[in-house]
Amino acid sequence: MMRHISSQTMTRLLLTVLFCSAALLSSGCVFRGPGTAITHVSNGANQWVGKSNVTTPNVDFPVSEAQQVGVSPLFERYTQNHGGTASLGSPLTAAFPTDQGWMQFFTSGALLQPARQQESMQGTKDPLTALSENGVKDANTGIVRLPLLQALLTAGSQVPIGGEKSHFTYVDLRKATNPSLMLAAPAEGQTATSTSVSGKGTFIGEGTRAGQDVGHFIPLPLWNYIHRSDISPDGWETDFGPPLTEALSLSITTHDGTHHMLVQAFEYDGLVLDQGAANASGQPQIQRLNSGTDYVHTIGLPAVAIRARQAIWTQTDTALLPVPGAGQAVAHVGQNFPLTLLGDTKWDTNMLWYHIQWAEPKESREGWVPANTITFIKPGNASSQASMDALSPDLATYLAGLGNDAGAVVYDMSRQRYYTYNGNAQFIVASSMKVAIMLTFFDALEQQGREPNDEEMNLLTTMIENSDNDSASTLYFEGIGGAAGITRYMQKIGVSGLNPNDDAWGYSTITPQTMVNLLTLLQEGKILTAHDRDIALNLMEHIESDQRFGVGDSAPNGAIVAMKNGWVPGPDDQWATNSSGIVTLGQETYIISIYTAEIDSFEDGQAIVQHVCGTIAPLLT
């Protein structure tokens, strides 16, 4: 049967609705129906009145213990200043770009570094935008902590709160936010913005009903918890906000008995207190809601926003895989290595993977890289690092077959990329020590303010071009003061990895990386005067023909090659053979050093360096 409503009553109802609509835009109000009081609230709880959405958590997002992710460098400063893991919990995902900016999820929250320019959503409001606008922004970093609890309440997530055995969900928590459930202020009377302590805890005034102050009580253990500086570094009003509910009781039965819990929701977060458990200090065990984990399982992660052909760079050593999270590495790259996004992404457990490509002079190759190893910020003019398999998988396989008996470093000077295999292992230097002797001798002459005389020039020429050992010994022991002279010069130019022998310079040891570093400084003009540098390079460009194997014999026609080889039987009659040099053809320049040890014969060592240099030359020129 329809009930007749007078025009006067209808007018009052319309005015009430209009009044509530205006109040919702300011301090908020709730219309509870004819004959009931209207509760004016300031804590925002009115936004869930009438909400009936229910969302079943069906997003599969497993977290692998073996694949730990850390706090992104983007958010390190924020987390250090805002309680770290005590506040946010453990990182749940790697940081990733979205349309709204960079995000990282944690077990108990999520952080957003807003994009400088956010594109229009064609008249619709992205849910992430609303979360960002309602979040807590850090004035120092601009980073926003997103109020995921609000999204879970709005969605009516059915994730159990308090543990897997719990039957209490965010739907139940949402019901408890109804402003009609606010309690009256303690008898002594308080204003709507003040606090008062009673047997129920600390009262927080958050509105009025029929002229009486109403709000919520925060139990003493929770009150003490939110006042800890490590939990609320910016103060509880900022980090938690006013309570949305009373502290609600629930019981959960598990294998170890029944747990009596308290759950209370605040504007930005929620707390769970286990009354039967204590922490290390003997205080009740309290933790934040797992709002980050619950959000991901209920709503899912925002879409990753990247552009195809966008450049990224590695921040640390990483393996590039054929598929996300699995398979034998297609290449190993180090710091600052440039990659290009192909546009595809995939989450594998809690790690985001990017489909990438990298370009070598003669070809491009593809793979997948984990998000926690890369950056979208160009690292300036720094050189990049990679293993030999990033340049040539076949050569990497060949070298791996030699084990520790070979080491090689290639520096693609044109692209500022290093490719290495055992690059920092020590090898007998043999006659390539003559390069270090020459550089040290030129530096000594420069300190004296003179050029080499005819006799010294003859010693330098025969030492380098003809690899004359007597000339090298004269310059080593008489010209530069032996091992001490070499050591002083290496320290002066900031190069390590060369260990000169006091008695026999040929049995000094060196790393392939050290030789490449020396030749790079020479080629770039960062050591010696221009005049002495030209002499040194000219000598190395005129090595006699029978000593040009390796770098020299493999270089393409027309290339300028400045080089020096070495070979010597070791104390155990096993051979050490090496070849190092600078190769320039047109605009392309690369520097290479290949060393061997414990090889059965000189011919076998020669074949190894010939193979390595011969593989590299066509790839880089």
Side-chain angles (χ1 to χ4, degrees):
M1 179 177 69
M2 292 187 64
R3 183 178 179 181
H4 177 71
I5 301 176
S6 68
S7 60
Q8 186 177 13
T9 301
M10 180 64 73
T11 300
R12 285 200 301 268
L13 288 172
L14 289 173
L15 288 174
T16 301
V17 171
L18 290 173
F19 173 77
C20 285
S21 298
L24 281 168
L25 296 175
S26 54
S27 62
C29 78
V30 178
F31 175 65
R32 299 181 59 204
T36 58
I38 293 175
T39 305
H40 299 272
V41 299
S42 60
N43 66 351
N46 51 345
Q47 64 183 295
W48 292 290
V49 173
K51 293 287 185 182
S52 59
N53 303 32
V54 175
T55 306
T56 302
N58 59 5
V59 179
D60 184 22
F61 191 81
V63 177
S64 170
E65 294 296 329
Q67 188 167 268
Q68 296 290 337
V69 293
V71 177
S72 166
L74 294 170
F75 301 117
E76 279 183 350
R77 180 184 169 196
Y78 176 94
T79 55
Q80 289 169 358
N81 296 332
H82 292 80
T85 56
S87 174
L88 286 159
S90 302
L92 186 63
T93 70
F96 61 99
T98 71
D99 285 333
Q100 299 299 316
W102 279 85
M103 287 194 69
Q104 184 166 19
F105 278 82
F106 299 78
T107 54
S108 298
L111 298 178
L112 171 71
Q113 185 182 69
R116 294 181 180 178
Q117 294 181 345
Q118 297 178 357
E119 297 181 1
S120 169
M121 299 299 293
Q122 298 180 344
T124 63
K125 197 165 190 179
D126 183 353
L128 196 56
T129 302
L131 280 176
S132 176
E133 291 175 352
N134 293 331
V136 180
K137 185 174 183 178
D138 178 53
N140 294 322
T141 62
I143 290 171
V144 179
R145 179 165 181 164
L146 302 180
L148 301 184
L149 173 60
Q150 296 180 17
L152 289 165
L153 294 176
T154 301
S157 171
Q158 290 188 309
V159 170
I161 292 175
E164 293 182 0
K165 300 296 184 179
S166 172
H167 298 290
F168 188 89
T169 72
Y170 288 93
V171 176
D172 302 302
L173 193 61
R174 181 176 64 191
K175 293 176 182 177
T177 66
N178 194 308
S180 66
L181 300 176
M182 285 185 176
L183 301 181
E188 61 267 25
Q190 298 290 325
T191 65
T193 58
S194 65
T195 62
S196 176
V197 179
S198 72
K200 297 179 181 179
T202 301
F203 175 78
I204 306 298
E206 299 173 285
T208 60
R209 183 189 304 127
Q212 184 179 14
D213 295 338
V214 294
H216 290 295
F217 290 87
I218 304 176
L220 183 60
L222 299 184
W223 180 253
N224 291 337
Y225 183 81
I226 63 177
H227 276 75
R228 283 169 44 182
S229 59
D230 60 325
I231 299 301
S232 302
D234 294 319
W236 74 271
E237 297 94 335
T238 298
D239 291 336
F240 281 87
L244 297 175
T245 70
E246 287 297 301
L248 310 170
S249 298
L250 64 143
S251 296
I252 303 173
T253 301
T254 64
H255 67 280
D256 60 349
T258 300
H259 294 257
H260 300 287
M261 322 284 283
L262 288 179
V263 177
Q264 187 161 27
F266 296 80
E267 181 179 9
Y268 301 118
D269 215 332
L271 294 174
V272 179
L273 182 151
D274 188 337
Q275 300 183 74
N279 59 23
S281 302
Q283 299 299 312
Q285 183 173 295
I286 300 172
Q287 63 183 38
R288 293 176 186 254
L289 292 176
N290 292 329
S291 53
T293 304
D294 296 344
Y295 181 96
V296 171
H297 286 158
T298 303
I299 300 171
L301 293 169
V304 180
I306 59 173
R307 302 189 314 272
R309 313 311 304 173
Q310 186 174 0
I312 60 173
W313 294 264
T314 53
Q315 298 183 97
T316 186
D317 293 345
T318 187
L320 306 180
L321 301 185
V323 294
Q328 185 175 355
V330 295
H332 298 79
V333 296
Q335 192 174 21
N336 302 327
F337 196 82
L339 303 168
T340 301
L341 294 175
L342 293 178
D344 306 325
T345 62
K346 184 177 180 181
W347 288 97
D348 179 65
T349 61
N350 53 329
M351 181 57 67
L352 175 66
W353 289 77
Y354 296 101
H355 192 192
I356 55 85
Q357 180 184 75
W358 74 98
E360 301 299 344
K362 299 298 174 67
E363 67 172 344
S364 294
R365 294 168 59 201
E366 296 181 11
W368 290 80
V369 65
N372 64 333
T373 64
I374 61 95
T375 177
F376 284 67
I377 302 172
K378 187 175 182 179
N381 199 36
S383 58
S384 60
Q385 309 284 333
S387 293
M388 200 65 73
D389 56 9
L391 178 62
S392 172
D394 291 341
L395 180 56
T397 300
Y398 173 80
L399 288 169
L402 297 171
N404 295 326
D405 292 338
V409 173
V410 179
Y411 179 43
D412 181 353
M413 198 168 180
S414 304
R415 296 162 190 83
Q416 294 185 281
R417 297 184 194 175
Y418 289 94
Y419 303 95
T420 68
Y421 174 81
N422 278 354
N424 290 313
Q426 290 281 332
F427 293 89
I428 294 175
V429 69
S431 283
S432 59
M433 183 66 170
K434 293 163 184 176
V435 173
I437 295 172
M438 174 182 63
L439 299 178
T440 304
F441 184 71
F442 270 122
D443 181 73
L445 294 183
E446 289 174 6
Q447 302 310 307
Q448 299 172 25
R450 68 181 183 88
E451 297 180 5
N453 57 37
D454 290 344
E455 180 181 356
E456 292 166 338
M457 196 65 233
N458 180 63
L459 291 171
L460 287 167
T461 300
T462 53
M463 178 180 71
I464 298 297
E465 293 186 1
N466 311 115
S467 201
D468 184 80
N469 291 336
D470 291 337
S471 297
S473 294
T474 299
L475 290 171
Y476 184 72
F477 293 110
E478 300 176 15
I480 61 174
I486 292 281
T487 299
R488 283 193 298 270
Y489 181 62
M490 293 296 114
Q491 292 174 344
K492 175 181 176 179
I493 63 176
V495 174
S496 60
L498 172 58
N499 300 302
N501 187 297
D502 284 329
D503 301 317
W505 49 261
Y507 286 102
S508 302
T509 60
I510 196 171
T511 72
Q513 185 67 61
T514 298
M515 180 56 75
V516 167
N517 291 344
L518 276 176
L519 296 180
T520 299
L521 291 175
L522 182 63
Q523 177 67 14
E524 293 179 341
K526 294 181 178 179
I527 55 176
L528 306 185
T529 64
H531 178 265
D532 289 344
R533 171 180 170 273
D534 287 343
I535 295 175
L537 289 171
N538 184 268
L539 292 174
M540 295 174 65
E541 290 167 9
H542 290 85
I543 301 296
E544 63 180 65
S545 59
D546 62 332
Q547 297 180 17
R548 294 181 61 82
F549 63 86
V551 178
D553 288 350
S554 65
N557 292 333
I560 299 173
V561 181
M563 61 173 293
K564 189 71 189 80
N565 290 344
W567 59 95
V568 67
D572 56 359
D573 292 328
Q574 295 291 290
W575 281 79
T577 308
N578 58 72
S579 183
S580 304
I582 307 164
V583 179
T584 300
L585 181 65
Q587 300 300 312
E588 302 289 340
T589 296
Y590 68 88
I591 299 173
I592 184 171
S593 182
I594 165 70
Y595 280 78
T596 68
E598 299 298 314
I599 306 301
D600 290 338
S601 68
F602 165 67
E603 290 75 18
D604 289 344
Q606 186 180 33
I608 291 172
V609 299
Q610 193 74 30
H611 179 83
V612 173
C613 295
T615 302
I616 294 297
L619 296 176
L620 296 182
T621 55

